[in-house]
Amino acid sequence: MDNDIKKELMIVIFGATGDLTKRKLIPALFQLYKKNNISTKNPIVCISRSDMSNDNFISRLDMKKYIPKVTKDDLDDFIKLIKYHSLDFSENCNIDKCESCDNCKTLAMAINTLDKNNQCHGNRIFYLATPPSTFENISRIIRKTLPENCKGQMKIAFEKPFGFDLESSRKLNKSISTIFNEDEIYRVDHYMGKALVQDILLFRFSNLLYEQVWNNKFIDNIQITISESMGVEYRAGYYDKTGAIKDMLQNHLMQLLSLVAMDEPQSFNAVHVRREMSKIPTSLKLPHKNDLVISQYKRYLDNKNTDTSYIEEYGVSNKSKTETFVALKMEIDNNRWRGVPIYVRTGKRLKSTFAEMNIVFKDVSCKLFPKGTCYNNSSNTITIRIQPDTGIALSFNIKKPGPGLEIMPVKMDFCHHCLFNLNTPKAYEAVFQAIINGDQTIFTSWDSVESSWKYTDHILDIAKNKDLSYYGPGSTGPKEACDLLGASGRKWIN
Ligand code: BG6
């Protein structure tokens, strides 16, 4: 995309009073504004159902809280871009009458006037930070509010989840494909915008050292963890219907796995990268009941833990069986990975917040070393730390100083944030920047979404016939998650 088009652009956010807009989207747009990647010529239209004034909306954004170290001057300039607009885009809104509906007419008028005044030339990004049940309706409203013969570039971004299951996602995709072209559609998975996640492909394919051994001949197992100390907070309404499998496994964990396991793409362009990535969820073997652990956090009265149980959280049903933790043993059925167990886990209200991947290499033969000096837990491991302490570490063995041949595991550790912290864009900043640039590489392709839902639906079926286990809030997760690896003599790498 050339610079002029970047300058002539309007951003329209649906779901503007939602938490994501306040905590992530507006702060990300602010950072782009500070870096001059958007300017005062780029209006940010914020739409939600509530009727309120622009000033009221801006104060609800609470920008001083969510944008670190922001100054009043910076804010005064930035808020001039924000234009609040209320609109009923619920399922009840009759889209067929949209053109004659006053609500939509005023929205169309407001957008088109802003476009004219700021010379946006019809270039628009629509970001849907709303539940998937509203996607189709909003997409139709958007189409109907665009002037005929609009020549600008149109992009529409859908926040995850894209559908609730395979059937609903297929239905949704079919209908939005009749409204927009695939090159206008951006299915967001913000994990793909994280710096270390973006590093994975380069790390694998620009270093001769690793790619040659990135297969079942050398790798013993792969572990992917997204651990959160936060509970469900104010999102119980969404989370209690969703659970960890749909909230995290279907999307973030699946995208991370796809990046770490995919074959070399023909090039780094969006078509080639997304084509290779989408082959991973399709190649997954269907797991067995014993490969899945579902769990919920629960305080144990006997050990004086005063933390809240999940079912005591505000908005959660006291009979809820929703899993707040999932661990799964997966396997990719292709020549590169057949036989390598892939362990993934994620949960809420755990001991700490971090996301990382561990690629654990096979043990060397111990036959060279005296008995008792060669340990099974000293194999080479590559650790990709996605957050918070971003970096990549390689564990390897050295000789412990002194007489004898004792092996000692040590680490070479690259600290990403020490080197780049100030310049590293946060995930949603990278997401917006990629949409502005018209680069779909970090957005999930339909093939990926579809095969990932297919697999997830199967996991959900297994989960229906499984008992939920429990873990203490603030712990590292349920014992059953350790047993998942323990059965084969392996351990989670912490
Ligand atoms: C979201 C999930 O997609 O990702 C949340 O809906 C989760 O439940 C969040 O907390 C985690 O993202 P991050 O960037 O904070 O690790």
Side-chain angles (χ1 to χ4, degrees):
M1 190 181 211
D2 63 51
N3 276 338
D4 285 346
I5 295 183
K6 272 192 213 169
K7 279 182 211 145
E8 301 156 355
L9 173 74
M10 182 188 307
I11 297 167
V12 184
I13 300 175
F14 284 83
T17 47
D19 215 64
L20 185 73
T21 302
K22 170 161 83 178
R23 292 190 335 145
K24 305 284 182 183
L25 303 185
I26 292 293
L29 289 170
F30 174 81
Q31 298 304 341
L32 289 174
Y33 175 72
K34 280 280 284 177
K35 292 177 185 167
N36 272 332
N37 290 355
I38 58 172
S39 75
T40 43
K41 298 292 275 175
N42 301 128
I44 302 173
V45 182
C46 292
I47 301 176
S48 87
R49 275 172 254 193
S50 322
D51 196 9
M52 70 179 106
S53 68
N54 207 45
D55 288 348
N56 194 354
F57 173 71
I58 287 169
S59 71
R60 281 178 58 159
L61 288 175
D62 211 351
M63 284 186 254
K64 284 207 177 113
K65 176 169 170 195
Y66 293 105
I67 306 175
K69 299 188 191 143
V70 68
T71 67
K72 185 175 172 306
D73 285 352
D74 284 340
L75 269 190
D76 285 348
D77 270 355
F78 176 68
I79 57 181
K80 289 184 195 139
L81 276 64
I82 299 176
K83 317 281 172 210
Y84 181 73
H85 196 96
S86 76
L87 177 81
D88 178 8
F89 48 77
S90 64
E91 281 169 290
N92 308 331
C93 163
N94 188 342
I95 8 180
D96 296 327
K97 291 202 181 130
C98 196
E99 269 151 318
S100 55
C101 141
D102 285 345
N103 233 343
C104 293
K105 267 194 207 155
T106 29
L107 174 69
M109 225 153 71
I111 291 184
N112 292 328
T113 310
L114 270 172
D115 190 314
K116 212 166 151 199
N117 293 346
N118 292 280
Q119 296 175 344
C120 297
H121 301 291
N123 298 312
R124 290 164 197 184
I125 292 176
F126 291 93
Y127 196 108
L128 275 54
T130 54
S133 56
T134 62
F135 287 174
E136 188 182 339
N137 227 16
I138 298 178
S139 300
R140 291 191 194 283
I141 292 173
I142 290 172
R143 250 312 164 221
K144 293 197 172 185
T145 56
L146 294 179
E148 270 181 32
N149 67 19
C150 171
K151 296 240 165 39
Q153 287 194 2
M154 241 291 307
K155 290 159 190 168
I156 179 156
F158 297 96
E159 182 57 45
K160 67 140 271 249
F162 193 82
F164 306 106
D165 54 18
L166 180 62
E167 196 189 331
S168 64
S169 68
R170 276 184 172 154
K171 193 168 157 277
L172 174 62
N173 200 58
K174 199 168 167 199
S175 69
I176 64 161
S177 309
T178 61
I179 310 171
F180 301 105
N181 299 326
E182 186 59 29
D183 62 3
E184 295 173 320
I185 299 172
Y186 293 72
R187 297 177 197 84
V188 177
D189 183 313
H190 77 279
Y191 260 69
M192 293 292 292
K194 294 188 189 265
L196 261 289
V197 175
Q198 298 203 340
D199 246 5
I200 296 172
L201 286 194
L202 265 285
F203 176 76
R204 286 188 53 197
F205 299 118
S206 69
N207 292 302
L208 188 67
L209 213 54
Y210 308 115
E211 190 47 23
Q212 306 307 313
V213 290
W214 214 260
N215 55 51
N216 53 8
K217 203 167 159 204
F218 299 98
I219 291 178
D220 178 78
N221 73 89
I222 295 177
Q223 305 180 10
I224 309 179
T225 303
I226 303 179
S227 165
E228 294 183 277
S229 56
M230 211 170 73
V232 285
E233 319 256 297
Y234 34 77
R235 296 168 73 220
Y238 154 79
Y239 194 86
D240 204 35
K241 285 195 271 158
T242 309
I245 297 176
K246 288 190 188 187
D247 186 44
M248 302 292 282
L249 175 71
Q250 186 273 335
N251 37 77
H252 304 325
L253 286 169
M254 199 63 94
Q255 292 295 296
L256 294 181
L257 172 62
S258 302
L259 280 173
V260 87
M262 68 189 259
D263 280 339
E264 187 170 11
Q266 205 177 321
S267 80
F268 280 130
N269 83 23
V271 174
H272 294 146
V273 171
R274 300 202 305 170
R275 186 182 299 151
E276 283 309 325
M277 282 184 77
S278 71
K279 290 180 189 165
I280 296 300
T282 326
S283 319
L284 287 169
K285 254 172 101 168
L286 294 183
H288 188 260
K289 190 175 169 188
N290 296 340
D291 296 332
L292 176 69
V293 175
I294 46 170
S295 203
Q296 191 185 79
Y297 60 87
K298 180 181 185 177
R299 70 184 156 124
Y300 299 97
L301 296 170
D302 53 345
N303 70 3
K304 301 200 178 101
N305 191 337
T306 52
D307 283 339
T308 318
S309 295
Y310 174 68
I311 54 165
E312 294 166 329
E313 299 276 13
Y314 178 74
V316 173
S317 142
N318 62 5
K319 293 200 176 62
S320 175
K321 292 281 175 210
T322 300
E323 78 287 351
T324 57
F325 179 99
V326 57
L328 179 65
K329 179 179 163 200
M330 305 165 91
E331 190 183 332
I332 300 168
D333 195 11
N334 66 15
N335 288 341
R336 187 196 275 260
W337 294 116
R338 196 165 296 116
V340 177
I342 295 158
Y343 301 101
V344 301
R345 62 178 168 167
T346 182
K348 298 228 179 261
R349 287 292 288 115
L350 292 169
K351 189 173 169 194
S352 44
T353 296
F354 70 93
E356 70 175 39
M357 297 167 139
N358 282 290
I359 293 84
V360 184
F361 288 82
K362 293 189 175 175
D363 284 326
V364 286
S365 155
C366 280
K367 69 176 182 226
L368 279 176
F369 303 97
K371 236 185 166 177
T373 63
C374 176
Y375 309 107
N376 282 336
N377 60 0
S378 58
S379 44
N380 300 143
T381 303
I382 293 174
T383 304
I384 302 174
R385 294 189 307 269
I386 296 164
Q387 62 189 28
D389 173 24
T390 49
I392 302 179
L394 170 66
S395 318
F396 58 99
N397 299 316
I398 59 158
K399 177 184 171 301
K400 194 169 180 182
L405 253 188
E406 196 171 340
I407 293 175
M408 186 176 153
V410 291
K411 256 185 192 174
M412 267 194 306
D413 200 337
F414 159 60
C415 168
H416 187 276
H417 61 97
C418 306
L419 193 61
F420 300 116
N421 194 21
L422 293 176
N423 301 319
T424 311
K426 290 256 170 20
Y428 277 98
E429 195 185 327
V431 164
F432 268 118
Q433 187 64 68
I435 305 175
I436 292 172
N437 294 348
D439 180 358
Q440 291 181 308
T441 316
I442 63 165
F443 299 89
T444 320
S445 68
W446 165 243
D447 291 348
S448 237
V449 175
E450 185 181 37
S451 45
S452 168
W453 270 124
K454 213 181 218 171
Y455 182 79
T456 307
D457 275 6
H458 182 79
I459 305 294
L460 290 165
D461 278 346
I462 301 180
K464 276 187 210 142
N465 299 311
K466 259 207 100 106
D467 289 335
L468 197 64
S469 68
Y470 293 94
Y471 61 100
S475 71
T476 53
K479 175 188 161 300
E480 288 77 0
C482 296
D483 298 344
L484 196 64
L485 283 78
S488 59
R490 298 181 174 97
K491 273 193 201 153
W492 288 105
I493 298 195
N494 288 310

